[in-house]
Amino acid sequence: MKPQLPPAVPEVVAAAVEGLTSRLRKKLDTAVESYAALPVAELDGTLSVKCGEDAEVTLTPGPSGTLTDAEQAVCGCLLAPRCLHLAAILSACPVAEPTAADDVSGAEAEPPPADEPPSTEQGAFAQEAPATEVLPGPTRAQVAAATGLRAAAAAVLAAGIPTAGAVPQAELLRAAHTARLAGLHRAEAAALRVVRGVRAARTRKDGPRLAGLVADLRELLLTTHRLASADPDPALVGTARRTYRAGGALKVFGVCREPVLSATGYGGVVTHLATEDGRWFSVADVKPGGPARARAAGTAPVALGSGALDHARLARGGLLISGATISPEGRLGSGRGVMATPLDGLPWTSGPLAALFGRPLREVVADRLAMAPEEPGGALIGCDLVVVGAAGEGLLARELHPDAPEEGPLIRLLPAHAHPDLAHTANFAQLAARPGIRVRVIGRMDPDRAATLRPLAVGPVPDTEATLRLPADRLDRVDLGYDRLGGTHFPDVLSPVEGLTGAPADPLADSPLWRMRRLVELAVAGGRRAVAEPARDGDRRGSAVALRRGGFGTMADLATALTAEADRRTRDVFGRLADADSDPYALVWLSAAVHLAGAERALVKATW
């Protein structure tokens, strides 16, 4: 395989860029694009990139494979270390995850793969603060760090993707490092996601989603704005790492496996587990490697106890664990002293898993949407559905529930991962070819789409013939990312179901909100100048009129305020145009983005 550039911590990248002269900074983006395409040579763990006849950058990552110190990156040119070659190569390196060197030694820590699925643990181990406790606000250092990080994020927003090059990114990385030193771990993590998103969008790699970058930038600006205003909410600070603590003896039963694919190159599997009293846990195996790593991890040994069980068997079996270690999110650790004995598994129709299918889907979704905005998609949902037909890359289905005999809304089922190395797409094709099939589903709701679930596993519905027929060793379940459905798993004859007369309406996509969504995304994709264009062309109230006509008066006012603020220009005492202040513009954009997210959330709730 071709050697890749190693990850670099934010402070190393920021220091290299800050050391450049203003003349070299203007050439940095072109140099990054040029040097990133150069071949990387590797010898005994040392990487080198030849940037010219007299310039060779040498990278010597530490034991973790990450560049954590400026001395690990050197250039052979005469201007080093304040040279363009070194700054460009470091700017092309992936952004490393935060290290945990400043944490208490001896504690077991989780690996930090980005973008892995949210935990399904519902706070069983969290200790609530007393009702009378007065929470202290952020310190002066934290307020100052949040203010600086907010200013750097506002500058990236005003620039937009086309002009948010290596220099604005380095300033954001430097501010993120300062936030980490001040203990603002949530803000730092959001800033690193924004940098990764901007880089992916600029290079058009990994199929970047503009909506994801908008959400990350919205969280970053909202978190830093509240911290800079001395908001005492402890959730705004976040945690540096997820430490494990003793959990005693546990008896857990497998529920399903979930492939993990990260935009930052991680791949693996998470096996979800449940106890007899209904608590949720998980075992993860996530490392750098991408789709191939995710596929192979599905049958890899479980790093828990003796390791005699693999993830495929654990998903249909169980474990009796002594000396368990548990993270606050419910992740089971594999440290020394943890002993695990394999057990027979439980079918979905008995024990704690049966309760997962005991409530109407509408009630379960209402509870999920009542959570904090970042939480509702995390917990697993169980339901019985009848497949109606195919819809694009997904399926349409209706709920089967004895307590809700009336016809429910159409529910969209989308693959958790559409990568061809995984089995989701092939299994969806098998189900789409058999309308009328009844399936028991475990998956996650998609909080950003109208009435949408992303199934992780399916099984037969009890007391019906029009359902899956699985061998006894499958224990009545199929992990959609790993197992493959075939013709022998379906009944020979299925009762006809009422076909679709057309594509079902999507209230979220068909509402006038698309105008506001386009404006908010345009601000990130094109920058401040792009948002100001409608105002300069005399169309300042074009979108606002349509929004107001649709009943979104507040959103219309925010759209007008955003375009007006984007076009606001000031002059100095000599009448020359001055650089516009990014903070007021970012605050108006943040107000519009937060209001839009709340309106979309309300519409999603109504579709259920």
Side-chain angles (χ1 to χ4, degrees):
M1 294 180 60
K2 175 185 174 182
Q4 301 295 323
L5 292 174
V9 296
E11 58 269 29
V12 171
V13 181
V17 175
E18 289 171 358
L20 297 177
T21 63
S22 57
R23 180 180 63 85
L24 292 179
R25 288 190 181 194
K26 295 178 182 179
K27 300 180 179 181
L28 183 55
D29 288 333
T30 302
V32 171
E33 184 177 354
S34 175
Y35 294 164
L38 294 176
V40 181
E42 182 178 11
L43 179 62
D44 297 333
T46 298
L47 304 172
S48 60
V49 181
K50 196 168 184 59
C51 302
E53 294 184 2
D54 301 322
E56 183 176 17
V57 176
T58 303
L59 307 175
T60 309
S64 63
T66 301
L67 299 172
T68 58
D69 191 278
E71 297 179 355
Q72 295 175 338
V74 296
C75 180
C77 75
L78 296 177
L79 293 178
R82 305 181 62 180
C83 66
L84 184 62
H85 315 107
L86 187 60
I89 292 297
L90 288 175
S91 297
C93 291
V95 180
E97 291 291 335
T99 60
D102 55 342
D103 291 311
V104 179
S105 61
E108 183 177 5
E110 249 184 302
D115 305 329
E116 69 179 72
S119 169
T120 55
E121 171 63 23
Q122 298 301 303
F125 301 94
Q127 295 182 356
E128 297 183 358
T132 58
E133 181 181 356
V134 178
L135 297 175
T139 65
R140 289 185 179 181
Q142 290 177 328
V143 170
T147 302
L149 185 53
R150 181 181 63 181
V156 170
L157 172 65
I161 291 174
T163 54
V167 174
Q169 292 172 27
E171 292 173 353
L172 187 56
L173 290 174
R174 169 63 74 188
H177 176 61
T178 303
R180 175 174 175 78
L181 295 179
L184 302 180
H185 307 292
R186 176 175 174 178
E188 181 212 15
L192 298 187
R193 291 199 304 271
V194 168
V195 172
R196 294 190 189 102
V198 170
R199 288 185 177 183
R202 286 174 59 85
T203 58
R204 294 177 174 84
K205 290 182 179 179
D206 302 322
R209 292 181 61 241
L210 181 59
L213 179 56
V214 169
D216 291 334
L217 194 52
R218 182 185 68 229
E219 181 185 347
L220 175 58
L221 286 171
L222 181 59
T223 301
T224 53
H225 175 73
R226 292 177 62 185
L227 286 168
S229 303
D231 190 322
D233 187 353
L236 297 173
V237 175
T239 56
R241 74 196 265 195
R242 293 166 287 187
T243 56
Y244 288 72
R245 61 179 179 179
L250 283 177
K251 182 188 289 187
V252 294
F253 298 96
V255 179
C256 64
R257 290 173 293 170
E258 177 179 8
V260 176
L261 283 179
S262 164
T264 54
Y266 285 89
V269 64
V270 172
T271 299
H272 299 281
L273 311 165
T275 63
E276 292 177 315
D277 57 358
R279 291 180 295 166
W280 285 84
F281 299 94
S282 61
V283 175
D285 181 4
V286 182
K287 298 177 182 177
R293 176 72 176 77
R295 184 181 65 251
T299 54
V302 176
L304 195 66
S306 63
L309 205 62
D310 60 32
H311 281 272
R313 293 174 56 196
L314 178 58
R316 295 178 172 86
L319 285 175
L320 180 61
I321 307 173
S322 61
T325 56
I326 308 167
S327 77
E329 294 81 10
R331 190 66 49 82
L332 296 178
S334 56
R336 291 175 297 178
V338 178
M339 302 295 293
T341 303
L343 299 174
D344 292 335
L346 289 178
W348 287 355
T349 54
S350 64
L353 303 184
L356 196 62
F357 307 92
R359 298 176 60 196
L361 191 56
R362 183 173 300 177
E363 295 181 7
V364 178
V365 170
D367 291 344
R368 297 288 184 268
L369 291 175
M371 299 178 181
E374 65 273 10
E375 295 178 357
L380 299 186
I381 289 177
C383 58
D384 293 337
L385 303 174
V386 54
V387 175
V388 176
E393 63 178 5
L395 302 171
L396 293 175
R398 295 190 187 274
E399 183 181 14
L400 297 171
H401 199 280
D403 297 334
E406 70 277 3
E407 188 176 84
L410 281 173
I411 299 170
R412 295 167 176 81
L413 305 180
L414 292 178
H417 297 289
H419 198 281
D421 282 357
L422 301 174
H424 291 285
T425 302
N427 287 328
F428 266 60
Q430 291 284 348
L431 293 170
R434 295 168 175 84
I437 188 71
R438 287 156 170 77
V439 290
R440 174 158 281 188
V441 173
I442 284 182
R444 286 197 178 90
M445 65 164 291
D446 190 331
D448 299 324
R449 295 176 180 264
T452 300
L453 286 177
R454 293 189 179 270
L456 302 179
V458 296
V461 176
D463 304 324
T464 180
E465 294 294 327
T467 189
L468 297 174
R469 298 175 178 176
L470 302 178
D473 61 348
R474 292 287 183 94
L475 202 63
D476 288 344
R477 68 194 69 171
V478 170
D479 295 324
L480 292 176
Y482 294 104
D483 304 322
R484 290 187 179 270
L485 291 168
T488 58
H489 299 144
F490 294 93
D492 297 330
V493 180
L494 290 171
S495 302
V497 295
E498 183 180 351
L500 295 175
T501 57
D506 186 345
L508 192 60
D510 298 339
S511 74
L513 289 180
W514 69 267
R515 296 178 180 274
M516 191 63 174
R517 190 182 311 113
R518 182 178 64 180
L519 185 62
V520 168
E521 292 181 348
L522 176 64
V524 177
R528 183 170 186 161
R529 292 184 178 181
V531 177
E533 286 303 322
R536 297 173 185 173
D537 295 341
D539 189 33
R540 177 177 296 182
R541 301 186 182 277
S543 297
V545 171
L547 287 168
R548 198 177 305 279
R549 189 183 300 119
F552 299 98
T554 302
M555 199 166 293
D557 295 338
L558 288 171
T560 301
L562 181 57
T563 54
E565 184 61 40
D567 195 40
R568 190 183 307 279
R569 310 182 78 182
T570 59
R571 296 181 181 272
D572 59 19
V573 293
F574 298 104
R576 298 172 300 190
L577 287 174
D579 292 336
D581 188 359
S582 298
D583 284 345
Y585 169 72
L587 185 59
V588 177
W589 179 88
L590 177 61
S591 301
V594 170
H595 189 73
L596 173 64
E600 290 179 333
R601 190 183 182 89
L603 279 179
V604 167
K605 183 177 181 179
T607 62
W608 290 92

